[in-house]
Amino acid sequence: MLKFCVYLLESGLCLSLMFLLYVLLFKKETYFTFNRYYLVGIIFLSLIIPLIHVNVKLKEFQAIEPTFVEIGKFRNYYERLIALSDPDFGTYYENGLPRAIFEGQWKNPQELVVNHGFQTNPSGITTTNNQNAPGSWSPFQWILMLYLAGVLFFLFRFFFLLTRLLWLLSKHQVTERFGIKIVLMPEEVPPFSFFRYVFIHDKVVDLPEFEQILAHERVHIFQSHSTDLLIAQALIIFQWFNPLVWHVQKAIKNNHEFIADNKVVNSGIELFDYQTLLLSQLISIRSVELVNNFNLISIKKRITMMTKIKSGFQAKLKALVTIPATIILLFVFTDLTISSPTIRFSNYSPVTFHLNKQNLTGLWQSDAIISDYALIDISNNTICVLEYAASCRTYKVEFAANHMYVYTNPNNAVKIPYKASGNMLTIWWSPDEAVKYRKTKATNSLDLQIRQTQKVINLPTITHYQILERPELVIDVIISKNYFEVNGTKGSLKDFEQLINTAKSNYNSLDQSLLVVKLMLDKNTSMKDVHHIYQVLRANQMLKIAFAGYPNNKEVPEILYHSVTIPKLLPPLDAKYLTEEQAKEMKAKGQLLTFNAVNEKADVAFKRQLKNSLTNTEKYIMELKYNNQTTFGEYITYVDVIFTTVHELRDELAKKKYSISYKDLSKPLQKEIRKQYPLTLTENNIDVD
């Protein structure tokens, strides 16, 4: 629909500009037939030009390139204005990815915890920027609905007028004269015609002036003026919001009257007699838009045109202006491709035929400390730019020898200089600012982060991932066999409390409560070590953690892999535990669903059984048991399957109740869905009592 709105605007601009040309050059001339075809022609041209794609081949293009770039900027400007009202518009990849939010802040210590395991309240998939709750419309949707309402109103109005004419035709006597059907009406109305029918007051037929009136209406009929009016009416329905379409319709009707008057006077009827007839037929009744009225417009204008000296040769030359005007509109509003031996300018975006011979494909990292553009990922025809370490923009790109054309939208490209030398790349994102990059050997941003440790760390693959935001509030912890690191500082597991407190002290007091500890744990890490990490973090009131891993699909750009996590909220130290009696009572009621990671696998059969249990159990609590020897890989597989299953059930329920996915619901409705399928997962290390 966004493209349709752009088309509406462009066709309206075309019509307005060409009608302005008519007002300035042709309106006062007596070449009425030319004016008729011009006015009808600009309607079709305005509707067709924005749909055209033009291919032009030139030997030299550089001299005119700046002009077309400026034209591209003009189109880009109004397209972005329209796009601002559309919540689904944007080049941010983050719009399609779930963002990590830590729900359930353990405000009440009465939350249930089984033994030394922890009840978690991980976030559900949340909506991203610009999304609207059911029943809440964006500005774009309001504008679209207003436009459609206008179309329906004027379409109904058109059929009402047409039905009214058919009713008059069926109600009154019809006679035929000189191939024209005359509808005789007892009402005293001004004569008017519609296709081959002339509607006239029955007493006028007996007057001497009837032949002059009939001669006038005969011109309208034989020149098919009603067809012009139907075309103008269709334009009004399509572009009712454009005030100039009403002026176009009025100009067409005026010009019809000028043509008919001119034909009648040239047929031999005395000018004075005909002008007297016009004055005598002046009746103050509103005109029907679908018909040509005998006394439709200002009598003064019609008499002025009848007595005006015919336009001469100089006026004819004005018609030649339409040729360059049409060409200019073609260049401004069509999709244009200009080709030369070295340059191809497509949609106002110059693009070379020959790609840079340097191998630019890959992940590039900046050596400078910058928040934006620190990392870029280049493929054959796209460039993905990291922004604020948690979001990215992806653009279509084409390379020349020393500059690239980055498409900010399909109709506009920005020319950006660059210089490549071996594994070094310099890009001038702005004329006075260059950023230097070094090519990495990593294929994604998570591998890049791991490679800096110079260790092999086998991270898990996760299904129910979320994007970790606020990277400036993240503390990175990397653990593998014989390797331990906190925010780049190496140590050992026994030093974890000191290292984490040192990292925490680098933040101000207000930010410390917002910190997230991102755990990059090798799959072979024992849960004994993970449990120790949990205890240290709880003791230091750092309850927000996130497990890093690789997404199991290609929805996430590789430049954002470092932000892919499973968020988890640890319980505070004063959280209460389920007593054995409470656990037995819930188990007897079937409300405590226990899973054992020690001797069971989280396979397809487990997921099927889990889904069935959650569907048929009310007010459940899930308990995941493991021991010190359980690997983190086994543990996180269970957690991932549980989270994924619960969110699949939430999504199914949301679509069933509201015909919309869970992630697109408003927060109150998400909360309602979560009540039926809560993520009340408790964990129990059976080796720790």
Side-chain angles (χ1 to χ4, degrees), residues 28-42:
K28 296 181 179 180
E29 302 300 336
T30 60
Y31 293 118
F32 305 128
T33 301
F34 170 82
N35 286 351
R36 176 197 178 188
Y37 290 120
Y38 179 88
L39 289 169
V40 175
I42 65 174

Side-chain angles (χ1 to χ4, degrees), residues 147-159 237 240 246:
Y147 168 75
L148 293 177
V151 169
L152 290 176
F153 171 79
F154 286 103
L155 191 62
F156 173 80
R157 182 170 172 268
F158 166 75
F159 283 113
I237 295 171
W240 60 266
W246 303 91

Side-chain angles (χ1 to χ4, degrees), residues 558-573:
E558 293 180 338
I559 204 170
L560 283 182
Y561 274 23
H562 65 284
S563 295
V564 172
T565 61
I566 295 180
K568 174 184 172 71
L569 190 67
L570 297 176
L573 288 176

Side-chain angles (χ1 to χ4, degrees), residues 514-571:
L514 304 176
L515 291 176
V516 177
V517 178
K518 185 174 76 172
L519 299 175
M520 289 173 275
L521 306 178
D522 189 281
K523 290 194 293 186
N524 293 318
T525 303
S526 70
M527 287 306 295
K528 177 182 178 181
D529 293 343
V530 176
H531 184 79
H532 174 73
I533 292 172
Y534 286 172
Q535 297 301 322
V536 172
L537 293 175
R538 293 177 67 205
N540 289 274
Q541 298 183 347
M542 302 180 70
L543 305 181
K544 293 180 180 179
I545 65 173
F547 300 114
Y550 298 99
N552 72 337
N553 56 44
K554 297 296 184 181
E555 293 180 4
V556 184
E558 293 180 338
I559 204 170
L560 283 182
Y561 274 23
H562 65 284
S563 295
V564 172
T565 61
I566 295 180
K568 174 184 172 71
L569 190 67
L570 297 176

Side-chain angles (χ1 to χ4, degrees), residues 316-348:
K316 290 183 178 181
L317 292 178
K318 291 182 181 180
L320 298 177
V321 177
T322 60
I323 299 175
T326 303
I327 293 174
I328 291 173
L329 290 176
L330 283 171
F331 281 128
V332 173
F333 294 109
T334 62
D335 289 336
L336 179 67
T337 298
I338 298 179
S339 302
S340 72
T342 57
I343 296 289
R344 185 182 70 217
F345 184 96
S346 179
N347 291 342
Y348 313 118

Side-chain angles (χ1 to χ4, degrees), residues 178-315:
F178 305 119
I180 298 174
K181 295 182 178 181
I182 303 173
V183 182
L184 303 176
M185 297 186 298
E187 297 88 355
E188 192 173 355
V189 296
F192 64 88
S193 61
F194 183 67
F195 285 100
R196 300 192 68 82
Y197 292 90
V198 174
F199 296 77
I200 194 168
H201 183 32
D202 52 9
K203 293 183 178 180
V204 174
V205 176
D206 299 327
L207 297 177
E209 297 86 0
F210 174 67
E211 292 299 330
Q212 296 181 21
I213 295 174
L214 192 61
H216 178 97
E217 299 302 332
R218 187 185 298 117
V219 176
H220 289 313
I221 292 171
F222 290 157
Q223 292 200 5
S224 301
H225 287 175
S226 295
T227 302
D228 297 356
L229 296 182
L230 287 179
I231 293 171
Q233 192 64 29
L235 177 68
I236 286 176
I237 295 171
F238 182 65
Q239 288 200 1
W240 60 266
F241 57 89
N242 184 355
L244 284 183
V245 300
W246 303 91
H247 290 281
V248 171
Q249 183 198 50
K250 184 178 179 181
I252 290 174
K253 298 186 79 170
N254 288 352
N255 196 67
H256 285 171
E257 299 306 318
F258 297 153
I259 291 175
D261 292 342
N262 186 61
K263 289 286 185 181
V264 171
V265 172
N266 289 339
S267 67
I269 295 176
E270 289 294 332
L271 178 60
F272 178 78
D273 293 340
Y274 184 68
Q275 291 173 346
T276 303
L277 174 64
L278 290 180
L279 293 172
S280 66
Q281 288 293 319
L282 181 59
I283 302 175
S284 298
I285 297 178
R286 294 187 63 183
S287 165
V288 178
E289 292 181 5
L290 297 183
V291 302
N292 291 103
N293 291 75
F294 179 71
N295 60 337
L296 168 67
I297 65 173
S298 169
I299 300 299
K300 181 179 179 181
K301 286 184 180 180
R302 292 173 64 177
I303 292 176
T304 299
M305 280 298 183
M306 279 185 252
T307 56
K308 188 174 182 178
I309 299 175
K310 302 299 181 182
S311 300
F313 180 75
Q314 187 176 2

